[in-house]
Amino acid sequence: MNIDEVKQTLRGPMIPVITNLADDLAVDHGAIRTNVRYVVDRGIVTGQGALLAVGAGGDFPMLSVEERKAAAQTIVEAAQGQAPVLVGAQDTNIAVSTELARWAEEIGAYGIQMAPPHYYTPSDDDVVSCFRAVHDANERIAIMIYHTWWEGYTMSLEQVERLVELPRCVSLKWSTPTGGGSYMRGVARFADRMAVVCNQGMPMLNRMLGGTGYITHLATVWPEHDVALWKRLEARDYDGAVAMHKAVNWPWYDFRCTMGGRTGGESPTIKAALELCGRPGGPSRLPSRALNDGERAELRDLLRRIGVPTVHDR
C-alpha cells in the first residue's frame, strides 16, 4: 500500500461509532445510520476524519459476531464512501478476527483495527503470528495496529517494527502506559512509515511529530468542534488547538472518566449526550448501564458549559 495515500486517508478525528440499541436491546441499525450521516454531513470525511466501527466504543464485547458484522456493514453503507471506515477485528479467538477481517474486505471497508490477543497474555512471537494470520487471510484490507497495553501486553517499539514488516500494517493507534517519553518516541519513529493515530489524548503532540489523527468520542456529539480543531492542527496553529482542547475536550474527557468509574463500557456517556442533543442514543447492555437522572443533569450542564450548540432542556 502507498503509505502517503494511507496517511492522507486515515487523517483527522477518528470516531469510535457507537452501536445503538433499541428498547429490547437489539441492534438499532436505523439509529446507527442516522448518527453516521450526522457526523459525515458535518465534516467527518476523508482527509479530515475517519470512522471506527464496532470497536470498544461500539461495545463489541457485548455483541455477537453476527451483530458485529451487521453493524459494521450498516456503518460502511451509511458512510457512502465519504469517510474511511475501519472495522474492529480484535477478539480472543483468532478465527473470529480473521472472519471479521474478511467481512470488512467484503463490505468495502477501508481497513480493520487489530489488537494483540487478550485474556491469555501473549508472547511477542504469539502476537506476530496472530497478526500474520489475519494479514495473510486478506488481499487488500489495511490494518491498524491497536496497542491495548491495559489488557496486559505492552508492545515494545521493536515489536512494532516486526509488525510493520507486514505490508498492510500501515497504521498505528498508539498510546503507552508510561506517558510522554515512550509515546513521543513511538510517534516519531513510525510517522514516516505509518498513519499514527493518537489514543493518548495528545493530538497536538501527535501532529507535531508527524501523526495523522486522533481518537475522539466527542466528535460523535459535536463533530464541528473536532473538525475545527483538526484544521488548526493542519495549519500548525498549535496554540489555538491547545486552547480549544483544554476548554472543551479536557472537561468532556474528565466526565467520561468519572462515568467510567461508575459503570463499565465507553458508550453510556456518548449515548446520553446524543439524547440530550435530540439524537438517537438508546440503552446499553450489561455490564454497562444508562446514566441516571442526576448524571444526565451533570452531563447537560457540562455540554452547555463547553459550548455544544444543540443541547435540549430534557
mmCIF file with all atom_site columns, all heavy atoms in Angstrom, residues 151-174:
data_model
loop_
_atom_site.group_PDB
_atom_site.id
_atom_site.type_symbol
_atom_site.label_atom_id
_atom_site.label_alt_id
_atom_site.label_comp_id
_atom_site.label_asym_id
_atom_site.label_entity_id
_atom_site.label_seq_id
_atom_site.pdbx_PDB_ins_code
_atom_site.Cartn_x
_atom_site.Cartn_y
_atom_site.Cartn_z
_atom_site.occupancy
_atom_site.B_iso_or_equiv
_atom_site.pdbx_formal_charge
_atom_site.auth_seq_id
_atom_site.auth_comp_id
_atom_site.auth_asym_id
_atom_site.auth_atom_id
_atom_site.pdbx_PDB_model_num
ATOM 1   N N   . GLU A 1 151 ? -4.586 -4.297  28.561 1.00 0.00 ? 151 GLU A N   1
ATOM 2   C CA  . GLU A 1 151 ? -5.071 -5.675  28.604 1.00 0.00 ? 151 GLU A CA  1
ATOM 3   C C   . GLU A 1 151 ? -3.993 -6.645  29.063 1.00 0.00 ? 151 GLU A C   1
ATOM 4   O O   . GLU A 1 151 ? -4.223 -7.849  29.111 1.00 0.00 ? 151 GLU A O   1
ATOM 5   C CB  . GLU A 1 151 ? -5.585 -6.097  27.219 1.00 0.00 ? 151 GLU A CB  1
ATOM 6   C CG  . GLU A 1 151 ? -6.768 -5.292  26.703 1.00 0.00 ? 151 GLU A CG  1
ATOM 7   C CD  . GLU A 1 151 ? -8.053 -5.572  27.466 1.00 0.00 ? 151 GLU A CD  1
ATOM 8   O OE1 . GLU A 1 151 ? -8.054 -6.516  28.292 1.00 0.00 ? 151 GLU A OE1 1
ATOM 9   O OE2 . GLU A 1 151 ? -9.032 -4.850  27.254 1.00 0.00 ? 151 GLU A OE2 1
ATOM 10  N N   . GLY A 1 152 ? -2.792 -6.145  29.368 1.00 0.00 ? 152 GLY A N   1
ATOM 11  C CA  . GLY A 1 152 ? -1.764 -6.998  29.944 1.00 0.00 ? 152 GLY A CA  1
ATOM 12  C C   . GLY A 1 152 ? -0.529 -7.206  29.091 1.00 0.00 ? 152 GLY A C   1
ATOM 13  O O   . GLY A 1 152 ? 0.467  -7.761  29.565 1.00 0.00 ? 152 GLY A O   1
ATOM 14  N N   . TYR A 1 153 ? -0.574 -6.770  27.823 1.00 0.00 ? 153 TYR A N   1
ATOM 15  C CA  . TYR A 1 153 ? 0.571  -6.949  26.938 1.00 0.00 ? 153 TYR A CA  1
ATOM 16  C C   . TYR A 1 153 ? 1.033  -5.589  26.443 1.00 0.00 ? 153 TYR A C   1
ATOM 17  O O   . TYR A 1 153 ? 0.295  -4.884  25.743 1.00 0.00 ? 153 TYR A O   1
ATOM 18  C CB  . TYR A 1 153 ? 0.212  -7.845  25.747 1.00 0.00 ? 153 TYR A CB  1
ATOM 19  C CG  . TYR A 1 153 ? 1.295  -7.910  24.688 1.00 0.00 ? 153 TYR A CG  1
ATOM 20  C CD1 . TYR A 1 153 ? 2.410  -8.727  24.864 1.00 0.00 ? 153 TYR A CD1 1
ATOM 21  C CD2 . TYR A 1 153 ? 1.210  -7.146  23.534 1.00 0.00 ? 153 TYR A CD2 1
ATOM 22  C CE1 . TYR A 1 153 ? 3.410  -8.780  23.901 1.00 0.00 ? 153 TYR A CE1 1
ATOM 23  C CE2 . TYR A 1 153 ? 2.196  -7.197  22.563 1.00 0.00 ? 153 TYR A CE2 1
ATOM 24  C CZ  . TYR A 1 153 ? 3.298  -8.013  22.750 1.00 0.00 ? 153 TYR A CZ  1
ATOM 25  O OH  . TYR A 1 153 ? 4.282  -8.064  21.807 1.00 0.00 ? 153 TYR A OH  1
ATOM 26  N N   . THR A 1 154 ? 2.246  -5.189  26.829 1.00 0.00 ? 154 THR A N   1
ATOM 27  C CA  . THR A 1 154 ? 2.823  -3.918  26.391 1.00 0.00 ? 154 THR A CA  1
ATOM 28  C C   . THR A 1 154 ? 3.774  -4.183  25.234 1.00 0.00 ? 154 THR A C   1
ATOM 29  O O   . THR A 1 154 ? 4.697  -5.000  25.334 1.00 0.00 ? 154 THR A O   1
ATOM 30  C CB  . THR A 1 154 ? 3.563  -3.223  27.540 1.00 0.00 ? 154 THR A CB  1
ATOM 31  O OG1 . THR A 1 154 ? 2.628  -2.944  28.585 1.00 0.00 ? 154 THR A OG1 1
ATOM 32  C CG2 . THR A 1 154 ? 4.184  -1.918  27.076 1.00 0.00 ? 154 THR A CG2 1
ATOM 33  N N   . MET A 1 155 ? 3.541  -3.471  24.143 1.00 0.00 ? 155 MET A N   1
ATOM 34  C CA  . MET A 1 155 ? 4.286  -3.683  22.920 1.00 0.00 ? 155 MET A CA  1
ATOM 35  C C   . MET A 1 155 ? 5.499  -2.753  22.865 1.00 0.00 ? 155 MET A C   1
ATOM 36  O O   . MET A 1 155 ? 5.360  -1.536  22.983 1.00 0.00 ? 155 MET A O   1
ATOM 37  C CB  . MET A 1 155 ? 3.359  -3.423  21.723 1.00 0.00 ? 155 MET A CB  1
ATOM 38  C CG  . MET A 1 155 ? 3.882  -3.895  20.388 1.00 0.00 ? 155 MET A CG  1
ATOM 39  S SD  . MET A 1 155 ? 2.696  -3.539  19.045 1.00 0.00 ? 155 MET A SD  1
ATOM 40  C CE  . MET A 1 155 ? 1.308  -4.569  19.533 1.00 0.00 ? 155 MET A CE  1
ATOM 41  N N   . SER A 1 156 ? 6.671  -3.306  22.705 1.00 0.00 ? 156 SER A N   1
ATOM 42  C CA  . SER A 1 156 ? 7.876  -2.502  22.561 1.00 0.00 ? 156 SER A CA  1
ATOM 43  C C   . SER A 1 156 ? 7.941  -1.897  21.159 1.00 0.00 ? 156 SER A C   1
ATOM 44  O O   . SER A 1 156 ? 7.260  -2.366  20.233 1.00 0.00 ? 156 SER A O   1
ATOM 45  C CB  . SER A 1 156 ? 9.122  -3.351  22.798 1.00 0.00 ? 156 SER A CB  1
ATOM 46  O OG  . SER A 1 156 ? 9.268  -4.318  21.762 1.00 0.00 ? 156 SER A OG  1
ATOM 47  N N   . LEU A 1 157 ? 8.775  -0.892  21.001 1.00 0.00 ? 157 LEU A N   1
ATOM 48  C CA  . LEU A 1 157 ? 8.947  -0.310  19.666 1.00 0.00 ? 157 LEU A CA  1
ATOM 49  C C   . LEU A 1 157 ? 9.556  -1.336  18.714 1.00 0.00 ? 157 LEU A C   1
ATOM 50  O O   . LEU A 1 157 ? 9.240  -1.340  17.514 1.00 0.00 ? 157 LEU A O   1
ATOM 51  C CB  . LEU A 1 157 ? 9.828  0.938   19.749 1.00 0.00 ? 157 LEU A CB  1
ATOM 52  C CG  . LEU A 1 157 ? 9.282  2.092   20.593 1.00 0.00 ? 157 LEU A CG  1
ATOM 53  C CD1 . LEU A 1 157 ? 10.203 3.292   20.523 1.00 0.00 ? 157 LEU A CD1 1
ATOM 54  C CD2 . LEU A 1 157 ? 7.869  2.468   20.166 1.00 0.00 ? 157 LEU A CD2 1
ATOM 55  N N   . GLU A 1 158 ? 10.408 -2.196  19.235 1.00 0.00 ? 158 GLU A N   1
ATOM 56  C CA  . GLU A 1 158 ? 10.999 -3.243  18.393 1.00 0.00 ? 158 GLU A CA  1
ATOM 57  C C   . GLU A 1 158 ? 9.931  -4.231  17.924 1.00 0.00 ? 158 GLU A C   1
ATOM 58  O O   . GLU A 1 158 ? 9.990  -4.736  16.789 1.00 0.00 ? 158 GLU A O   1
ATOM 59  C CB  . GLU A 1 158 ? 12.090 -3.982  19.175 1.00 0.00 ? 158 GLU A CB  1
ATOM 60  C CG  . GLU A 1 158 ? 13.358 -3.170  19.402 1.00 0.00 ? 158 GLU A CG  1
ATOM 61  C CD  . GLU A 1 158 ? 13.161 -2.006  20.369 1.00 0.00 ? 158 GLU A CD  1
ATOM 62  O OE1 . GLU A 1 158 ? 12.266 -2.110  21.256 1.00 0.00 ? 158 GLU A OE1 1
ATOM 63  O OE2 . GLU A 1 158 ? 13.873 -0.998  20.240 1.00 0.00 ? 158 GLU A OE2 1
ATOM 64  N N   . GLN A 1 159 ? 8.935  -4.482  18.765 1.00 0.00 ? 159 GLN A N   1
ATOM 65  C CA  . GLN A 1 159 ? 7.843  -5.358  18.357 1.00 0.00 ? 159 GLN A CA  1
ATOM 66  C C   . GLN A 1 159 ? 6.993  -4.698  17.278 1.00 0.00 ? 159 GLN A C   1
ATOM 67  O O   . GLN A 1 159 ? 6.574  -5.362  16.316 1.00 0.00 ? 159 GLN A O   1
ATOM 68  C CB  . GLN A 1 159 ? 6.987  -5.733  19.579 1.00 0.00 ? 159 GLN A CB  1
ATOM 69  C CG  . GLN A 1 159 ? 5.780  -6.597  19.274 1.00 0.00 ? 159 GLN A CG  1
ATOM 70  C CD  . GLN A 1 159 ? 6.120  -8.026  18.875 1.00 0.00 ? 159 GLN A CD  1
ATOM 71  O OE1 . GLN A 1 159 ? 7.268  -8.339  18.551 1.00 0.00 ? 159 GLN A OE1 1
ATOM 72  N NE2 . GLN A 1 159 ? 5.136  -8.892  18.884 1.00 0.00 ? 159 GLN A NE2 1
ATOM 73  N N   . VAL A 1 160 ? 6.739  -3.399  17.411 1.00 0.00 ? 160 VAL A N   1
ATOM 74  C CA  . VAL A 1 160 ? 6.021  -2.692  16.347 1.00 0.00 ? 160 VAL A CA  1
ATOM 75  C C   . VAL A 1 160 ? 6.792  -2.812  15.039 1.00 0.00 ? 160 VAL A C   1
ATOM 76  O O   . VAL A 1 160 ? 6.208  -3.003  13.964 1.00 0.00 ? 160 VAL A O   1
ATOM 77  C CB  . VAL A 1 160 ? 5.783  -1.220  16.724 1.00 0.00 ? 160 VAL A CB  1
ATOM 78  C CG1 . VAL A 1 160 ? 5.082  -0.479  15.583 1.00 0.00 ? 160 VAL A CG1 1
ATOM 79  C CG2 . VAL A 1 160 ? 4.954  -1.101  18.004 1.00 0.00 ? 160 VAL A CG2 1
ATOM 80  N N   . GLU A 1 161 ? 8.119  -2.708  15.113 1.00 0.00 ? 161 GLU A N   1
ATOM 81  C CA  . GLU A 1 161 ? 8.954  -2.856  13.912 1.00 0.00 ? 161 GLU A CA  1
ATOM 82  C C   . GLU A 1 161 ? 8.683  -4.191  13.221 1.00 0.00 ? 161 GLU A C   1
ATOM 83  O O   . GLU A 1 161 ? 8.626  -4.263  11.988 1.00 0.00 ? 161 GLU A O   1
ATOM 84  C CB  . GLU A 1 161 ? 10.433 -2.761  14.278 1.00 0.00 ? 161 GLU A CB  1
ATOM 85  C CG  . GLU A 1 161 ? 10.919 -1.376  14.639 1.00 0.00 ? 161 GLU A CG  1
ATOM 86  C CD  . GLU A 1 161 ? 11.221 -0.511  13.420 1.00 0.00 ? 161 GLU A CD  1
ATOM 87  O OE1 . GLU A 1 161 ? 10.937 -0.964  12.286 1.00 0.00 ? 161 GLU A OE1 1
ATOM 88  O OE2 . GLU A 1 161 ? 11.716 0.601   13.617 1.00 0.00 ? 161 GLU A OE2 1
ATOM 89  N N   . ARG A 1 162 ? 8.523  -5.240  13.994 1.00 0.00 ? 162 ARG A N   1
ATOM 90  C CA  . ARG A 1 162 ? 8.259  -6.554  13.407 1.00 0.00 ? 162 ARG A CA  1
ATOM 91  C C   . ARG A 1 162 ? 6.908  -6.565  12.684 1.00 0.00 ? 162 ARG A C   1
ATOM 92  O O   . ARG A 1 162 ? 6.778  -7.152  11.600 1.00 0.00 ? 162 ARG A O   1
ATOM 93  C CB  . ARG A 1 162 ? 8.267  -7.627  14.490 1.00 0.00 ? 162 ARG A CB  1
ATOM 94  C CG  . ARG A 1 162 ? 9.609  -7.823  15.168 1.00 0.00 ? 162 ARG A CG  1
ATOM 95  C CD  . ARG A 1 162 ? 9.511  -8.874  16.276 1.00 0.00 ? 162 ARG A CD  1
ATOM 96  N NE  . ARG A 1 162 ? 9.303  -10.219 15.740 1.00 0.00 ? 162 ARG A NE  1
ATOM 97  C CZ  . ARG A 1 162 ? 9.039  -11.296 16.494 1.00 0.00 ? 162 ARG A CZ  1
ATOM 98  N NH1 . ARG A 1 162 ? 8.910  -11.150 17.819 1.00 0.00 ? 162 ARG A NH1 1
ATOM 99  N NH2 . ARG A 1 162 ? 8.862  -12.474 15.942 1.00 0.00 ? 162 ARG A NH2 1
ATOM 100 N N   . LEU A 1 163 ? 5.916  -5.910  13.260 1.00 0.00 ? 163 LEU A N   1
ATOM 101 C CA  . LEU A 1 163 ? 4.592  -5.885  12.641 1.00 0.00 ? 163 LEU A CA  1
ATOM 102 C C   . LEU A 1 163 ? 4.566  -5.015  11.388 1.00 0.00 ? 163 LEU A C   1
ATOM 103 O O   . LEU A 1 163 ? 3.832  -5.307  10.438 1.00 0.00 ? 163 LEU A O   1
ATOM 104 C CB  . LEU A 1 163 ? 3.552  -5.405  13.656 1.00 0.00 ? 163 LEU A CB  1
ATOM 105 C CG  . LEU A 1 163 ? 3.358  -6.306  14.877 1.00 0.00 ? 163 LEU A CG  1
ATOM 106 C CD1 . LEU A 1 163 ? 2.345  -5.685  15.833 1.00 0.00 ? 163 LEU A CD1 1
ATOM 107 C CD2 . LEU A 1 163 ? 2.907  -7.702  14.466 1.00 0.00 ? 163 LEU A CD2 1
ATOM 108 N N   . VAL A 1 164 ? 5.343  -3.957  11.386 1.00 0.00 ? 164 VAL A N   1
ATOM 109 C CA  . VAL A 1 164 ? 5.390  -3.071  10.216 1.00 0.00 ? 164 VAL A CA  1
ATOM 110 C C   . VAL A 1 164 ? 5.920  -3.806  8.988  1.00 0.00 ? 164 VAL A C   1
ATOM 111 O O   . VAL A 1 164 ? 5.664  -3.402  7.850  1.00 0.00 ? 164 VAL A O   1
ATOM 112 C CB  . VAL A 1 164 ? 6.239  -1.816  10.521 1.00 0.00 ? 164 VAL A CB  1
ATOM 113 C CG1 . VAL A 1 164 ? 6.423  -0.934  9.283  1.00 0.00 ? 164 VAL A CG1 1
ATOM 114 C CG2 . VAL A 1 164 ? 5.596  -1.001  11.624 1.00 0.00 ? 164 VAL A CG2 1
ATOM 115 N N   . GLU A 1 165 ? 6.643  -4.882  9.216  1.00 0.00 ? 165 GLU A N   1
ATOM 116 C CA  . GLU A 1 165 ? 7.146  -5.659  8.074  1.00 0.00 ? 165 GLU A CA  1
ATOM 117 C C   . GLU A 1 165 ? 6.011  -6.301  7.284  1.00 0.00 ? 165 GLU A C   1
ATOM 118 O O   . GLU A 1 165 ? 6.188  -6.653  6.108  1.00 0.00 ? 165 GLU A O   1
ATOM 119 C CB  . GLU A 1 165 ? 8.114  -6.729  8.569  1.00 0.00 ? 165 GLU A CB  1
ATOM 120 C CG  . GLU A 1 165 ? 9.399  -6.157  9.154  1.00 0.00 ? 165 GLU A CG  1
ATOM 121 C CD  . GLU A 1 165 ? 10.316 -7.227  9.692  1.00 0.00 ? 165 GLU A CD  1
ATOM 122 O OE1 . GLU A 1 165 ? 9.980  -8.432  9.527  1.00 0.00 ? 165 GLU A OE1 1
ATOM 123 O OE2 . GLU A 1 165 ? 11.364 -6.888  10.266 1.00 0.00 ? 165 GLU A OE2 1
ATOM 124 N N   . LEU A 1 166 ? 4.849  -6.480  7.903  1.00 0.00 ? 166 LEU A N   1
ATOM 125 C CA  . LEU A 1 166 ? 3.694  -6.975  7.153  1.00 0.00 ? 166 LEU A CA  1
ATOM 126 C C   . LEU A 1 166 ? 3.195  -5.833  6.279  1.00 0.00 ? 166 LEU A C   1
ATOM 127 O O   . LEU A 1 166 ? 2.861  -4.755  6.783  1.00 0.00 ? 166 LEU A O   1
ATOM 128 C CB  . LEU A 1 166 ? 2.600  -7.442  8.119  1.00 0.00 ? 166 LEU A CB  1
ATOM 129 C CG  . LEU A 1 166 ? 2.981  -8.613  9.027  1.00 0.00 ? 166 LEU A CG  1
ATOM 130 C CD1 . LEU A 1 166 ? 1.910  -8.841  10.092 1.00 0.00 ? 166 LEU A CD1 1
ATOM 131 C CD2 . LEU A 1 166 ? 3.186  -9.875  8.205  1.00 0.00 ? 166 LEU A CD2 1
ATOM 132 N N   . PRO A 1 167 ? 3.143  -6.002  4.960  1.00 0.00 ? 167 PRO A N   1
ATOM 133 C CA  . PRO A 1 167 ? 2.938  -4.880  4.048  1.00 0.00 ? 167 PRO A CA  1
ATOM 134 C C   . PRO A 1 167 ? 1.683  -4.055  4.284  1.00 0.00 ? 167 PRO A C   1
ATOM 135 O O   . PRO A 1 167 ? 1.662  -2.857  3.981  1.00 0.00 ? 167 PRO A O   1
ATOM 136 C CB  . PRO A 1 167 ? 2.890  -5.557  2.667  1.00 0.00 ? 167 PRO A CB  1
ATOM 137 C CG  . PRO A 1 167 ? 3.680  -6.811  2.841  1.00 0.00 ? 167 PRO A CG  1
ATOM 138 C CD  . PRO A 1 167 ? 3.402  -7.267  4.242  1.00 0.00 ? 167 PRO A CD  1
ATOM 139 N N   . ARG A 1 168 ? 0.616  -4.673  4.816  1.00 0.00 ? 168 ARG A N   1
ATOM 140 C CA  . ARG A 1 168 ? -0.621 -3.912  5.001  1.00 0.00 ? 168 ARG A CA  1
ATOM 141 C C   . ARG A 1 168 ? -0.858 -3.472  6.443  1.00 0.00 ? 168 ARG A C   1
ATOM 142 O O   . ARG A 1 168 ? -1.925 -2.973  6.761  1.00 0.00 ? 168 ARG A O   1
ATOM 143 C CB  . ARG A 1 168 ? -1.806 -4.712  4.448  1.00 0.00 ? 168 ARG A CB  1
ATOM 144 C CG  . ARG A 1 168 ? -1.854 -4.640  2.917  1.00 0.00 ? 168 ARG A CG  1
ATOM 145 C CD  . ARG A 1 168 ? -3.004 -5.411  2.303  1.00 0.00 ? 168 ARG A CD  1
ATOM 146 N NE  . ARG A 1 168 ? -2.765 -6.853  2.344  1.00 0.00 ? 168 ARG A NE  1
ATOM 147 C CZ  . ARG A 1 168 ? -3.342 -7.696  3.195  1.00 0.00 ? 168 ARG A CZ  1
ATOM 148 N NH1 . ARG A 1 168 ? -4.209 -7.255  4.080  1.00 0.00 ? 168 ARG A NH1 1
ATOM 149 N NH2 . ARG A 1 168 ? -3.066 -8.991  3.167  1.00 0.00 ? 168 ARG A NH2 1
ATOM 150 N N   . CYS A 1 169 ? 0.146  -3.631  7.296  1.00 0.00 ? 169 CYS A N   1
ATOM 151 C CA  . CYS A 1 169 ? 0.104  -3.000  8.623  1.00 0.00 ? 169 CYS A CA  1
ATOM 152 C C   . CYS A 1 169 ? 0.601  -1.566  8.444  1.00 0.00 ? 169 CYS A C   1
ATOM 153 O O   . CYS A 1 169 ? 1.798  -1.290  8.530  1.00 0.00 ? 169 CYS A O   1
ATOM 154 C CB  . CYS A 1 169 ? 0.969  -3.764  9.620  1.00 0.00 ? 169 CYS A CB  1
ATOM 155 S SG  . CYS A 1 169 ? 0.194  -5.253  10.279 1.00 0.00 ? 169 CYS A SG  1
ATOM 156 N N   . VAL A 1 170 ? -0.321 -0.674  8.152  1.00 0.00 ? 170 VAL A N   1
ATOM 157 C CA  . VAL A 1 170 ? 0.040  0.658   7.694  1.00 0.00 ? 170 VAL A CA  1
ATOM 158 C C   . VAL A 1 170 ? -0.384 1.769   8.648  1.00 0.00 ? 170 VAL A C   1
ATOM 159 O O   . VAL A 1 170 ? -0.164 2.945   8.374  1.00 0.00 ? 170 VAL A O   1
ATOM 160 C CB  . VAL A 1 170 ? -0.574 0.934   6.296  1.00 0.00 ? 170 VAL A CB  1
ATOM 161 C CG1 . VAL A 1 170 ? 0.088  0.063   5.243  1.00 0.00 ? 170 VAL A CG1 1
ATOM 162 C CG2 . VAL A 1 170 ? -2.087 0.715   6.318  1.00 0.00 ? 170 VAL A CG2 1
ATOM 163 N N   . SER A 1 171 ? -1.001 1.404   9.767  1.00 0.00 ? 171 SER A N   1
ATOM 164 C CA  . SER A 1 171 ? -1.441 2.415   10.725 1.00 0.00 ? 171 SER A CA  1
ATOM 165 C C   . SER A 1 171 ? -1.197 1.901   12.135 1.00 0.00 ? 171 SER A C   1
ATOM 166 O O   . SER A 1 171 ? -1.147 0.685   12.371 1.00 0.00 ? 171 SER A O   1
ATOM 167 C CB  . SER A 1 171 ? -2.922 2.748   10.514 1.00 0.00 ? 171 SER A CB  1
ATOM 168 O OG  . SER A 1 171 ? -3.356 3.755   11.410 1.00 0.00 ? 171 SER A OG  1
ATOM 169 N N   . LEU A 1 172 ? -1.047 2.844   13.054 1.00 0.00 ? 172 LEU A N   1
ATOM 170 C CA  . LEU A 1 172 ? -0.777 2.512   14.453 1.00 0.00 ? 172 LEU A CA  1
ATOM 171 C C   . LEU A 1 172 ? -1.633 3.400   15.342 1.00 0.00 ? 172 LEU A C   1
ATOM 172 O O   . LEU A 1 172 ? -1.496 4.622   15.328 1.00 0.00 ? 172 LEU A O   1
ATOM 173 C CB  . LEU A 1 172 ? 0.706  2.738   14.766 1.00 0.00 ? 172 LEU A CB  1
ATOM 174 C CG  . LEU A 1 172 ? 1.159  2.555   16.218 1.00 0.00 ? 172 LEU A CG  1
ATOM 175 C CD1 . LEU A 1 172 ? 0.967  1.108   16.671 1.00 0.00 ? 172 LEU A CD1 1
ATOM 176 C CD2 . LEU A 1 172 ? 2.620  2.985   16.380 1.00 0.00 ? 172 LEU A CD2 1
ATOM 177 N N   . LYS A 1 173 ? -2.547 2.789   16.078 1.00 0.00 ? 173 LYS A N   1
ATOM 178 C CA  . LYS A 1 173 ? -3.333 3.508   17.084 1.00 0.00 ? 173 LYS A CA  1
ATOM 179 C C   . LYS A 1 173 ? -2.546 3.416   18.384 1.00 0.00 ? 173 LYS A C   1
ATOM 180 O O   . LYS A 1 173 ? -2.527 2.400   19.054 1.00 0.00 ? 173 LYS A O   1
ATOM 181 C CB  . LYS A 1 173 ? -4.719 2.867   17.213 1.00 0.00 ? 173 LYS A CB  1
ATOM 182 C CG  . LYS A 1 173 ? -5.654 3.575   18.172 1.00 0.00 ? 173 LYS A CG  1
ATOM 183 C CD  . LYS A 1 173 ? -7.010 2.882   18.155 1.00 0.00 ? 173 LYS A CD  1
ATOM 184 C CE  . LYS A 1 173 ? -7.939 3.388   19.215 1.00 0.00 ? 173 LYS A CE  1
ATOM 185 N NZ  . LYS A 1 173 ? -9.221 2.637   19.214 1.00 0.00 ? 173 LYS A NZ  1
ATOM 186 N N   . TRP A 1 174 ? -1.917 4.531   18.753 1.00 0.00 ? 174 TRP A N   1
ATOM 187 C CA  . TRP A 1 174 ? -0.806 4.472   19.681 1.00 0.00 ? 174 TRP A CA  1
ATOM 188 C C   . TRP A 1 174 ? -1.096 5.145   21.011 1.00 0.00 ? 174 TRP A C   1
ATOM 189 O O   . TRP A 1 174 ? -1.585 6.269   21.070 1.00 0.00 ? 174 TRP A O   1
ATOM 190 C CB  . TRP A 1 174 ? 0.404  5.123   19.023 1.00 0.00 ? 174 TRP A CB  1
ATOM 191 C CG  . TRP A 1 174 ? 1.691  5.057   19.774 1.00 0.00 ? 174 TRP A CG  1
ATOM 192 C CD1 . TRP A 1 174 ? 2.452  6.112   20.189 1.00 0.00 ? 174 TRP A CD1 1
ATOM 193 C CD2 . TRP A 1 174 ? 2.417  3.877   20.165 1.00 0.00 ? 174 TRP A CD2 1
ATOM 194 N NE1 . TRP A 1 174 ? 3.593  5.661   20.812 1.00 0.00 ? 174 TRP A NE1 1
ATOM 195 C CE2 . TRP A 1 174 ? 3.592  4.284   20.818 1.00 0.00 ? 174 TRP A CE2 1
ATOM 196 C CE3 . TRP A 1 174 ? 2.158  2.499   20.031 1.00 0.00 ? 174 TRP A CE3 1
ATOM 197 C CZ2 . TRP A 1 174 ? 4.514  3.378   21.334 1.00 0.00 ? 174 TRP A CZ2 1
ATOM 198 C CZ3 . TRP A 1 174 ? 3.079  1.598   20.542 1.00 0.00 ? 174 TRP A CZ3 1
ATOM 199 C CH2 . TRP A 1 174 ? 4.239  2.038   21.182 1.00 0.00 ? 174 TRP A CH2 1
#
